[in-house]
């Protein structure tokens, strides 16, 4: 009813009346209140972040990972985070051979600049997605980060599937703005899912101007330190301020972690899109020319000055899904022994909007393929076969044993939320139970722990939650980050040119030192007598000042001068 056309009174059956003057006063007060509120807070439950804002949130909350290594002179870099196609051969199934057997050769070749393996692109990567949904009248985000390692368990298994899940509540569009907070963080400890919620002393963040980065410790691929196994994750219990002080004092590089004692740190992995964090840690990007310097090569406890600090990039969880589809060339990287049938309401598209997997009931092959195994697999499922992708996991305060497994039963319908709903109750599709997943099935945990069998604190999101009119976006299926397939980061562009002193009337030859940027470099000299064929060197006359302009293939430019100072008189040079 439009109250404006009923100025006398507002009446409901069996109800009451409100004098017109009171009603006008209430409407005026309401108008003032609404004008003071942020625009998005007064919109009905149907506003969306932009694509750019979702990426910004993924970057802002990306974790900082402090990792232990189990390396020595024969295994440098073995515990590096990487991307699926680090060796650029398009074949993930041979990673368990390539990583442990050829990575050291790549690193040593980079030290000598021999050019061998220079086509590799290590590109440490966390595969990520942002899921946007309405939490009552408020906006919330579920952020997923999959930490990728090519091998695990002393290189006896291929691919490592650890994940960090962050739920942000009170989202307003600007990361870290007032009222926004991290509701809970869940990490993978093998088959267990360890959760810490808002206010827990175990949730420690590196808070900087451009990011709020939860600090997570990761074990090495081996089992060197008692109680940890193959890349499992733990929460860091020390504050960032405490760690920073220890770094300043160059103490032993150790951090206190949940469910264990102090653990060694050999690597710190920092999101490349947080300049403040990168600067604070002094982190570098792995390149062919610096790979040797960034390999820990240690398994003992070191001082903080010896810890390698490396940046990582974000890519999309969905990047891999198209290659697992039954209509694609899935058998290169995956086996047929385990499948995921998923009813897609909408197609999976790439960054350019091109369809990779059409809508409808589709089959995906998710069993890892390992060409170094006699059975061609280590029995591990890819991301689409992981319960955590669907939120269908049992949250734990502490991890069980390494073989512990608390199955919720979300796929079968046994798993229920705080409202006693299973996924079919939420979607309305009872035929899907134990037959196929629906694309937008998702249980969002509340941050509480429900110890009952087959129950979790949270909610299966209701049918249609992902629609724009309902304020939702299911980023698990979205590809938003540029794949940068041929990308190799470069160091800062620097040019050095010496100033030399010679005897009276002598000429000098100077040679420029150039690094960083993208080669080849072009050299342009002025006021010189002669320059070399490669352009790097030139001859300068007595008393003259030469100018050199160096330009990189990616368009960077630097200008340097060199003067041939003249020494003719006792007591010093005459210029």
């Amino acid at each position: 009813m439009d109250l404006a056309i009923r100025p006398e009174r507002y009446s409901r059956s069996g109800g009451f009346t409100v004098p017109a003057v009171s009603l006008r006063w209430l409407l005026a007060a309401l108008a003032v209140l609404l004008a003071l509120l942020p625009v998005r807070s007064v919109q009905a439950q149907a506003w969306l972040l932009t694509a750019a804002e979702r990426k910004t949130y993924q970057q802002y909350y990306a974790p900082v990972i402090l990792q232990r290594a189990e390396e020595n002179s024969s295994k440098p870099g073995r515990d590096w985070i990487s991307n699926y196609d680090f060796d650029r051969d398009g074949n993930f199934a041979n990673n368990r051979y390539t990583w442990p057997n050829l990575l050291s050769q790549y690193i040593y070749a980079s030290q000598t600049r021999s050019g061998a393996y220079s086509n590799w692109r290590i590109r440490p990567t966390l595969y990520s997605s942002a899921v946007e949904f309405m939490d009552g009248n408020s906006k919330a985000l579920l952020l997923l980060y999959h930490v990728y390692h090519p091998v695990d368990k002393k290189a006896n298994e291929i691919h490592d599937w650890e994940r960090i899940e962050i739920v942000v509540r009170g989202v307003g569009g600007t990361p870290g703005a007032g009222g926004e907070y991290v509701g809970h963080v869940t990490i993978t400890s093998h088959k267990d899912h360890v959760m810490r919620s808002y206010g827990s002393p175990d949730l420690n963040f590196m808070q900087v101007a451009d990011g709020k980065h939860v600090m997570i410790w990761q074990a090495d691929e081996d089992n060197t330190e008692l109680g940890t196994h193959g890349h499992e994750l733990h929460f860091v219990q020390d504050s960032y301020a405490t760690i920073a002080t220890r770094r300043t004092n160059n103490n032993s590089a150790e951090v206190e972690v949940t469910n264990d004692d102090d653990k060694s740190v050999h690597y710190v992995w920092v999101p490349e899109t947080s300049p403040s964090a990168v600067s604070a840690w002094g982190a570098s990007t792995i390149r062919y020319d610096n790979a040797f310097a960034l390999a820990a090569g240690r398994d003992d406890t070191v001082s903080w000055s010896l810890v390698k600090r490396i940046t990582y990039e974000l890519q999309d969880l969905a990047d891999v899904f198209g290659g697992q589809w039954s209509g694609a060339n899935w058998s290169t990287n995956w086996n047929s022994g385990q499948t995921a049938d998923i009813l897609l309401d909408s197609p999976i598209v790439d960054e350019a909007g091109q369809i990779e997997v059409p809508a409808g009931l589709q089959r995906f092959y998710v069993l890892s393929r390992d060409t170094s195994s006699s059975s061609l697999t280590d029995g591990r499922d890819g991301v689409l076969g992981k319960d955590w992708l669907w939120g269908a996991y049992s949250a734990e305060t502490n991890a069980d044993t390494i073989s512990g497994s608390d199955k919720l039963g979300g796929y079968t319908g046994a798993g229920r939320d705080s409202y006693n709903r299973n996924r079919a109750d939420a979607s309305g599709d009872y035929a899907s139970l134990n037959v196929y997943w629906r694309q937008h099935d998702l249980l969002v945990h509340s941050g509480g722990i429900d110890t009952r069998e087959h129950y979790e604190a949270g909610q299966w999101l209701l049918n249609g939650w992902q629609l724009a009119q309902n304020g939702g976006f299911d980023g698990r299926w979205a590809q938003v980050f540029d794949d940068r397939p041929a990308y190799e980061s470069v160091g800062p562009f620097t040019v050095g040119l010496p100033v030399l002193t010679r005897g009276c009337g002598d000429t000098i030859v100077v040679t420029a030192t150039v690094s960083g940027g993208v080669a080849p470099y072009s050299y342009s000299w002025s006021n010189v007598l002669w320059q070399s064929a490669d352009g790097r060197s030139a001859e300068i006359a007595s008393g003259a000042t030469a100018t050199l302009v160096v330009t990189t293939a990616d368009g960077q430019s630097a200008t340097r001068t060199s003067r041939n100072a003249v020494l003719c008189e006792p007591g010093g040079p005459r210029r």
Side-chain angles (χ1 to χ4, degrees):
M1 181 188 300
D2 186 350
L3 298 181
I5 65 173
R6 297 292 302 274
E8 297 82 16
R9 59 177 54 85
Y10 169 56
S11 177
R12 305 180 76 167
S13 59
F16 55 90
T17 60
V18 178
V21 63
S22 298
L23 180 61
R24 286 194 295 271
W25 183 89
L26 288 171
L27 290 174
L30 179 61
V32 172
L33 176 62
L34 294 179
L36 294 174
L37 293 174
V39 174
R40 279 174 167 165
S41 68
V42 301
Q43 295 177 357
Q45 301 176 7
W47 66 271
L48 286 176
L49 297 171
T50 66
E53 286 173 332
R54 293 184 197 113
K55 290 174 67 173
T56 299
Y57 268 96
Q58 288 170 262
Q59 295 162 350
Y60 184 87
Y61 286 102
V64 166
I65 299 173
L66 298 91
Q67 186 193 21
R68 177 188 161 78
E70 198 284 304
E71 300 176 2
N72 53 44
S73 59
S74 66
K75 298 196 299 183
R78 274 279 288 273
D79 284 295
W80 278 348
I81 295 172
S82 179
N83 72 92
Y84 280 91
D85 196 24
F86 60 87
D87 55 1
R88 305 283 293 146
D89 67 352
N91 184 356
F92 312 153
N94 62 13
N95 283 0
R96 191 167 73 87
Y97 169 79
T98 305
W99 190 258
N101 291 296
L102 301 182
L103 177 66
S104 59
Q105 296 183 39
Y106 161 86
I107 289 174
Y108 292 131
S110 78
Q111 182 187 25
T112 61
R113 310 291 175 87
S114 71
Y117 304 99
S118 60
N119 64 305
W120 282 27
R121 302 289 184 265
I122 304 299
R123 291 172 54 193
T125 298
L126 267 59
Y127 291 88
S128 179
S129 66
V131 176
E132 181 180 353
F133 62 98
M134 296 305 298
D135 183 19
N137 291 321
S138 177
K139 175 72 67 176
L141 279 173
L142 184 151
L143 305 173
L144 294 173
Y145 301 92
H146 162 41
V147 187
Y148 181 74
H149 291 275
V151 298
D152 200 16
K153 307 294 193 301
K154 301 182 183 180
N156 289 321
E157 296 180 353
I158 191 170
H159 306 312
D160 187 52
W161 309 103
E162 313 301 334
R163 77 76 166 75
I164 299 165
E165 172 186 310
I166 302 173
V167 171
V168 183
R169 302 190 184 273
V171 171
T174 302
E180 183 175 287
Y181 66 99
V182 173
H184 68 268
V185 179
T186 307
I187 58 177
T188 302
S189 183
H190 305 292
K191 294 182 180 181
D192 291 311
H193 307 272
V194 182
M195 179 183 289
R196 291 293 185 271
S197 297
Y198 177 78
S200 169
D202 294 337
L203 278 184
N204 287 285
F205 298 87
M206 181 186 185
Q207 178 72 69
V208 290
D210 42 26
K212 184 182 179 74
H213 309 295
V214 64
M215 294 191 298
I216 304 295
W217 180 85
Q218 185 171 41
D220 56 74
E221 68 159 302
D222 204 342
N223 182 22
T224 304
E225 288 191 314
L226 184 64
T228 59
H229 308 265
H231 292 144
E232 68 181 48
L233 303 176
H234 291 249
F235 293 99
V236 173
Q237 295 179 302
D238 296 317
S239 69
Y240 174 68
T242 296
I243 295 172
T245 298
R246 292 172 182 169
R247 286 181 56 205
T248 300
N249 295 332
N250 200 26
N251 298 137
S252 295
E254 295 178 305
V255 292
E256 186 75 19
V257 305
T258 48
N259 309 128
D260 221 315
D261 300 321
D262 283 351
K263 293 296 182 184
S264 299
V265 176
H266 298 93
Y267 290 111
V268 177
W269 301 96
V270 184
E272 66 179 10
T273 50
S274 178
S276 298
V278 172
S279 175
W281 284 104
S284 301
T285 303
I286 293 177
R287 306 184 305 273
Y288 182 71
D289 63 352
N290 70 356
F292 181 83
L294 293 180
R298 303 287 290 267
D299 58 9
D300 56 334
T301 299
V302 301
S303 62
W304 274 106
S305 62
L306 295 178
V307 172
K308 307 300 182 180
R309 292 148 291 170
I310 307 175
T311 62
Y312 69 80
E313 65 180 272
L314 295 179
Q315 287 295 330
D316 302 301
L317 272 177
D319 281 346
V320 185
F321 298 167
Q324 295 176 292
W325 177 46
S326 61
N329 188 24
W330 56 270
S331 61
T332 300
N333 300 312
W334 309 96
N335 284 315
S336 61
Q338 182 69 27
T339 60
D341 292 334
I342 303 171
L343 181 59
L344 299 178
D345 292 328
S346 56
I348 300 175
V349 299
D350 64 15
E351 290 81 358
Q354 300 298 309
I355 294 177
E356 289 189 342
V357 183
L361 185 60
Q362 304 294 346
R363 171 159 290 186
F364 298 84
Y365 294 95
V366 298
L367 185 63
S368 62
R369 183 174 179 82
D370 179 2
T371 56
S372 293
S373 171
S374 59
S375 62
L376 293 181
T377 185
D378 61 0
R380 293 185 168 194
D381 296 342
V383 171
L384 285 174
K386 296 296 184 182
D387 287 339
W388 57 256
L389 182 69
W390 311 95
Y393 61 85
S394 177
E396 310 279 353
T397 300
N398 298 304
D400 295 331
T401 63
I402 188 172
S403 60
S405 177
D406 297 318
K407 293 290 187 182
L408 174 67
Y411 184 64
T412 64
R416 294 184 175 273
D417 63 13
S418 297
Y419 303 93
N420 200 35
R421 295 186 302 232
N422 64 18
R423 67 182 181 95
D425 294 329
S427 70
D429 184 0
Y430 291 92
S432 68
L433 294 181
N434 212 31
V435 179
Y436 55 85
W437 285 105
R438 293 188 62 88
Q439 183 178 20
H440 305 299
D441 284 341
L442 183 61
L443 195 163
V444 176
H445 292 251
S446 66
I449 302 293
D450 191 328
T451 59
R452 292 178 297 168
E453 185 82 7
H454 299 306
Y455 277 86
E456 283 301 300
Q459 60 172 321
W460 286 103
L461 296 183
L462 298 178
N463 185 43
W465 68 267
Q466 80 285 352
L467 300 175
Q469 59 265 35
N470 295 325
F473 175 80
D474 196 347
R476 292 174 298 174
W477 310 96
Q479 297 182 42
V480 298
F481 289 99
D482 180 10
D483 289 336
R484 304 191 291 183
Y487 176 74
E488 170 83 313
S489 65
V490 295
F493 177 45
T494 60
V495 177
L497 198 60
V499 175
L500 300 179
T501 300
R502 289 290 184 267
C504 185
D506 292 337
T507 65
I508 60 172
V509 174
V510 294
T511 300
T513 57
V514 182
S515 64
V518 176
Y521 308 114
S522 63
Y523 302 86
S524 177
W525 291 91
S526 60
N527 200 30
V528 297
L529 301 174
W530 161 90
Q531 69 183 62
S532 62
D534 64 6
R536 293 182 56 217
S537 302
E539 185 178 12
I540 306 174
S542 175
T545 299
T547 301
L548 170 65
V549 179
V550 183
T551 305
T552 67
D554 59 335
Q556 299 183 70
S557 180
T559 301
R560 299 289 184 269
T561 60
S562 180
R563 179 176 175 81
N564 180 3
V566 180
L567 179 62
C568 289
E569 299 176 346
R574 175 170 54 83
R575 292 179 172 82

